[in-house]
Amino acid sequence: MSTLIWGASSLRLQFSYGTDASVSLGSISTAAGFPAEADPSTGGPSVEQPLVELSAMGHGRFPGSFRHVDTVLSRSLRYIGHEETRGEDVAELRIIQAEEATGLQVTSVFVARDGISGFRTWTEVTVAGSGSYMLDFVSTLATGAYLVDSATDVDGFDLVYGDNDWVAEGRWLTRPLREMGLARIDREIQHHPPRSRCVVTNRGSWSTGEKLPTGVLLSRTFPYALAWQIEHNGPWLYELGETRTGAYLLLSGPTDQEHQWSTEVAEGTVFISVPASIVVARGGLDEAFAVLTDQRRAIRSVRAADRRLPVVFNDYMNTLMGNPTTEKLLPLIDAAAEVGAEYFCIDAGWYAEGHWWDTVGEWLPAPGRFPGGITEVIDHIRERGMVAGLWLEPEVIGVNSPLAATLPDDAFFSRRGIRVAEHGRHLLDLRSPAARAHLDSVVDRLVADYGVEFFKMDYNTMTGAGSDLNGEAPGHGLLEHNRAFLRWLDAVQSRHPNLLIENCASGAMRMDYAMMSRLHMQSTSDQQDPVMYASIAAAAPASLLPEQAGNWAYPQAGMEPELLTLSLVNAILGRMYLSGYLNRMSPDEVEMVREGVAAQKVVVADIERSHAFWPLGLPDWEDSWVCLGLDVADHGAYLTVWRRPGAGERVVLPLPTLLGTELSVASFFPSRQAGWDWSWDAAAGELTVTVSVEAPSARVLKLEVAR
């Protein structure tokens, strides 16, 4: 066997290959490796799990199963070369393999940046020579790294994964792999590997409509964690299972089995899988998400406009709820300016006189809502020193919109010649020049005519499996649309460099890093209950950069003071998305909102250098005590603590990284300490918080190491 070692300043990958074995990735580690007494690679690199798994019609699996490993083609791939390139702080590796009988050629691409113990990867497939093949599965990556010996077998690992749903986003769970469907069998008696699998997958165009594309493997034996995210705005899956000698992790975009995907490849054509990022950390969950945060920042395209990090007021949540008018907006604009909001977004309904759900598509202001024209409202936003924004749902055309009859059929998703219709809408296919031209004209007009510099871009309707236009597999039609949509976004932001776009899809139903590597921030939920929002806000940095986590704060006049405070606390350690009838509030209530906005501005000054941590672990949906920390390096740390109904009066927060240090703890928001007390035990590394006011209640604390 031959060995290839590659990486960057903080990453080391070890590959193996031979004349009778395909390439495998058997070791993923930090460049410094692991301490000898806690080295998870003692079993040696795995040569059993091929780096790439792929199948084509007529070329399936042996043995057959529902799993995406054991593909016949992957076993007969052979190494033919590799290419390494190096930039200022970026390293790239391309490993090329070929399957002699078919002429299939597979290239695995790895990109790593100095200072990050992680990499981005994808797979490219073509044919060298005559013939064509109908691919029905191509993995992004498959590896048995650190899952190969008795000490680090399936029994020694927990999987951290996330459920996601409308108004119930970010419900993280930690389970032993044995409880995730991997049944223990006697592999020697059976003479075969187990065929059970743990699979986490999402369907359709809501990339996070049911599950989150991020996962973490935690070792219970070593201080080791492996984390990943699949970076695709459509279907994806990851799969874990056992081999004869260990186990494997496989990452993938759409498949035939789960998502009705297939595509033909021949000489001169290249299929490229969806990308994914994988990181390794010496430590546990917090350390894994810290490295993943660094990786997210590394792959993100950040423009000068994105550095503004404004506080945005939006008129929707628990306020106008899709019914804006000039009369209702003007006092809200004044009130938002008074508390320090920097952007003001007019949300849904501005384009229709009455019921609008199934008539959308033209995006023209409704005269009945704005007797003096919508420019009167937008001008008032500017006069109050704020930037104007609009809600937009560009990818849909209502079934009763005039555009449904005027745009050509190929502008829409269709199945068997029939347009897809879901929830009163048709869905635009961005592969269509007519669809793109329509959306370009809408965006360019709104920016030029009204000076809009912010869009809340929503997406409330799903495509289903996709489009079978021209006889293609529906899943491939969806994949190609997904990629065309990303190219459209890139072009829009290139034409309008000052335009900020918030990503929304019924809250966070499309919260992936194909989208978030491009867009400014993500609405984390449509949840209207601030107490339930606490766990969503606390879990958001596991899926998003803190500087992109748009958490709603919707205080209301007459709220109990502690609830009003909590509704603001929800947004402090992310990006404040402010709403509520501020114009109806008492002076004391307004002052509390103003203080919350000011606190947010202090946090965002350092938020792009921050890393999240969870003293109580990622929150369960029903947890009574919830806690999120934000480490801002040399500026100390912030700690948000929520006490929800059912919680006791006291909670102990472990802070192991601060063990043995003298710590100053102060109330950050609100500035007064009333009803909350705390004590720091440096020897134990524990912060004890005691609350005497009734739940629900919440505070943001500031932690500083004594100098």
Side-chain angles (χ1 to χ4, degrees):
M1 296 296 293
S2 298
T3 298
L4 168 64
I5 296 175
W6 174 87
S9 69
S10 298
L11 175 73
R12 181 180 180 273
L13 304 184
Q14 181 173 323
F15 303 89
S16 300
Y17 59 92
T19 57
D20 60 349
S22 56
V23 178
S24 65
L25 171 59
S27 175
I28 305 171
S29 68
T30 63
F34 293 87
E37 69 275 10
D39 185 354
S41 63
T42 53
S46 168
V47 296
E48 182 175 355
Q49 177 52 57
L51 174 63
V52 176
E53 294 277 3
L54 77 161
S55 60
M57 294 182 183
H59 303 268
R61 292 165 181 78
F62 190 90
S65 71
F66 291 109
R67 308 193 319 170
H68 288 294
V69 293
D70 303 321
T71 57
V72 173
L73 291 172
S74 70
R75 297 289 175 179
S76 53
L77 287 173
R78 294 295 178 266
Y79 170 89
I80 61 173
H82 72 275
E83 303 168 359
E84 296 184 52
T85 57
R86 177 79 198 190
E88 182 177 350
D89 62 351
V90 180
E92 181 174 311
L93 171 68
R94 299 176 66 87
I95 299 177
I96 306 162
Q97 300 183 81
E99 206 283 325
E100 183 178 6
T102 59
L104 283 165
Q105 186 169 295
V106 178
T107 301
S108 298
V109 184
F110 299 84
V111 179
R113 292 182 179 270
D114 288 340
I116 302 173
S117 56
F119 59 93
R120 200 170 191 234
T121 185
W122 62 88
T123 304
E124 301 175 357
V125 184
T126 188
V127 178
S130 61
S132 64
Y133 296 90
M134 186 62 70
L135 301 174
D136 55 25
F137 172 74
V138 177
S139 70
T140 295
L141 175 85
T143 180
Y146 293 145
L147 294 166
V148 296
D149 70 286
S150 59
T152 55
D153 209 339
V154 164
D155 296 298
F157 280 89
D158 292 331
L159 176 66
V160 182
Y161 66 101
D163 289 337
N164 213 55
D165 200 355
W166 180 68
V167 307
E169 291 87 351
R171 304 189 320 278
W172 289 89
L173 301 162
T174 301
R175 297 286 186 273
L177 279 180
R178 283 290 179 216
E179 296 180 9
M180 296 296 295
L182 301 187
R184 184 184 291 107
I185 68 169
D186 189 320
R187 295 178 243 194
E188 295 307 313
I189 290 178
Q190 301 302 138
H191 305 294
H192 282 288
R195 298 186 193 178
S196 57
R197 66 172 182 162
C198 161
V199 62
V200 178
T201 185
N202 206 87
R203 302 167 291 167
S205 55
W206 273 359
S207 59
T208 56
E210 293 180 301
K211 302 289 182 181
L212 294 170
T214 301
V216 185
L217 268 179
L218 294 177
S219 171
R220 287 191 238 112
T221 309
F222 304 113
Y224 165 78
L226 188 73
W228 59 88
Q229 64 179 23
I230 302 171
E231 296 155 2
H232 181 48
N233 53 329
W236 52 266
L237 69 78
Y238 61 83
E239 178 179 295
L240 298 107
E242 294 181 90
T243 64
R244 283 291 297 272
T245 58
Y248 68 88
L249 166 69
L250 178 145
L251 311 178
S252 171
T255 73
D256 178 47
Q257 178 173 281
E258 283 86 3
H259 312 112
Q260 302 183 46
W261 175 86
S262 61
T263 190
E264 187 174 21
V265 66
E267 187 173 26
T269 64
V270 180
F271 171 72
I272 302 175
S273 76
V274 307
S277 286
I278 298 92
V279 304
V280 62
R282 297 176 64 175
L285 193 67
D286 288 352
E287 290 80 7
F289 277 120
V291 182
L292 194 55
T293 295
D294 292 338
Q295 176 69 4
R296 287 167 178 162
R297 288 183 176 131
I299 67 172
R300 186 182 173 208
S301 176
V302 183
R303 304 164 299 147
D306 292 306
R307 298 291 186 197
R308 295 174 190 162
L309 305 178
V311 173
V312 180
F313 185 95
N314 180 292
D315 67 41
Y316 184 82
M317 191 65 75
N318 293 352
T319 311
L320 300 186
M321 299 297 289
N323 190 28
T325 65
T326 299
E327 181 182 11
K328 295 174 182 177
L329 285 167
L330 293 182
L332 278 177
I333 293 166
D334 291 337
E338 287 297 322
V339 299
E342 295 156 293
Y343 281 47
F344 190 103
C345 181
I346 304 169
D347 206 276
W350 60 268
Y351 37 77
E353 303 291 357
H355 176 73
W356 49 263
W357 187 262
D358 58 3
T359 61
V360 296
E362 294 183 289
W363 309 112
L364 298 170
R369 293 185 180 273
F370 310 105
I374 198 171
T375 53
E376 177 186 1
V377 176
I378 291 175
D379 287 346
H380 193 66
I381 292 171
R382 291 200 194 90
E383 288 165 5
R384 294 311 311 266
M386 296 182 292
V387 174
L390 288 173
W391 182 92
L392 189 65
E393 192 172 2
E395 298 161 77
V396 299
I397 301 292
V399 295
N400 292 318
S401 168
L403 288 171
T406 57
L407 284 171
D409 284 339
D410 71 357
F412 299 94
F413 275 73
S414 63
R415 297 289 299 276
R416 299 190 178 185
I418 302 169
R419 288 185 190 177
V420 172
E422 286 289 334
H423 205 178
R425 278 96 172 275
H426 298 303
L427 297 113
L428 289 174
D429 188 333
L430 269 291
R431 296 175 295 174
S432 162
R436 293 194 304 273
H438 162 64
L439 294 192
D440 283 341
S441 67
V442 168
V443 169
D444 293 350
R445 170 173 51 81
L446 294 175
V447 171
D449 290 358
Y450 306 123
V452 171
E453 293 186 31
F454 181 90
F455 283 126
K456 177 182 177 181
M457 188 181 68
D458 216 336
Y459 185 64
N460 293 298
T461 308
M462 294 178 288
T463 59
S467 178
D468 61 5
L469 186 69
N470 300 322
E472 66 195 349
H476 191 66
L478 177 56
L479 175 63
E480 291 300 294
H481 157 78
N482 293 144
R483 289 172 164 170
F485 179 66
L486 296 177
R487 292 191 296 271
W488 177 77
L489 280 178
D490 291 340
V492 165
Q493 295 191 119
S494 178
R495 291 199 309 276
H496 304 292
N498 291 320
L499 179 66
L500 299 184
I501 301 178
E502 173 213 337
N503 187 35
C504 183
S506 286
M509 300 297 97
R510 192 162 60 174
M511 183 171 56
D512 61 76
Y513 264 83
M515 300 291 287
M516 296 316 299
S517 64
R518 293 165 164 83
L519 300 182
H520 181 69
M521 73 174 183
Q522 168 74 55
S523 175
T524 57
S525 186
D526 278 353
Q527 175 59 248
Q528 292 180 252
D529 181 343
V531 178
M532 297 192 76
Y533 211 123
S535 61
I536 296 171
S543 295
L544 296 163
L545 291 173
E547 60 265 34
Q548 291 182 294
N551 297 323
W552 285 94
Y554 32 64
Q556 298 291 346
M559 270 185 171
E560 290 294 326
E562 287 297 326
L563 184 58
L564 187 144
T565 298
L566 181 147
S567 72
L568 292 163
V569 162
N570 287 343
I572 301 295
L573 296 194
R575 291 290 305 286
M576 181 175 282
Y577 210 21
L578 185 63
S579 195
Y581 284 108
L582 309 184
N583 55 309
R584 301 177 182 176
M585 289 184 170
S586 69
D588 286 346
E589 291 169 334
V590 170
E591 184 55 36
M592 181 59 73
V593 176
R594 185 180 290 112
E595 184 184 343
V597 171
Q600 159 74 171
K601 291 179 180 180
V602 172
V603 171
V604 298
D606 294 304
I607 199 168
E608 291 179 298
R609 300 187 299 130
S610 70
H611 296 87
F613 60 96
W614 294 268
L616 298 176
L618 286 169
D620 286 339
W621 184 244
E622 303 286 354
D623 275 352
S624 53
W625 284 103
V626 175
C627 186
L628 167 67
L630 208 60
D631 188 336
V632 288
D634 55 330
H635 284 213
Y638 298 100
L639 197 66
T640 297
V641 185
W642 290 267
R643 181 184 180 226
R644 300 201 287 188
E649 295 182 353
R650 179 176 299 177
V651 64
V652 177
L653 305 175
L655 300 173
T657 62
L658 297 173
L659 183 70
T661 63
E662 292 302 316
L663 195 64
S664 168
V665 184
S667 184
F668 176 71
F669 176 78
S671 56
R672 65 182 187 277
Q673 186 175 331
W676 284 62
D677 291 291
W678 44 82
S679 62
W680 169 243
D681 184 340
E686 295 177 342
L687 179 67
T688 299
V689 176
T690 305
V691 182
S692 59
V693 294
E694 291 295 322
S697 181
R699 296 289 187 272
V700 183
L701 308 179
K702 181 69 183 292
L703 313 182
E704 292 184 294
V705 176
R707 302 293 181 184

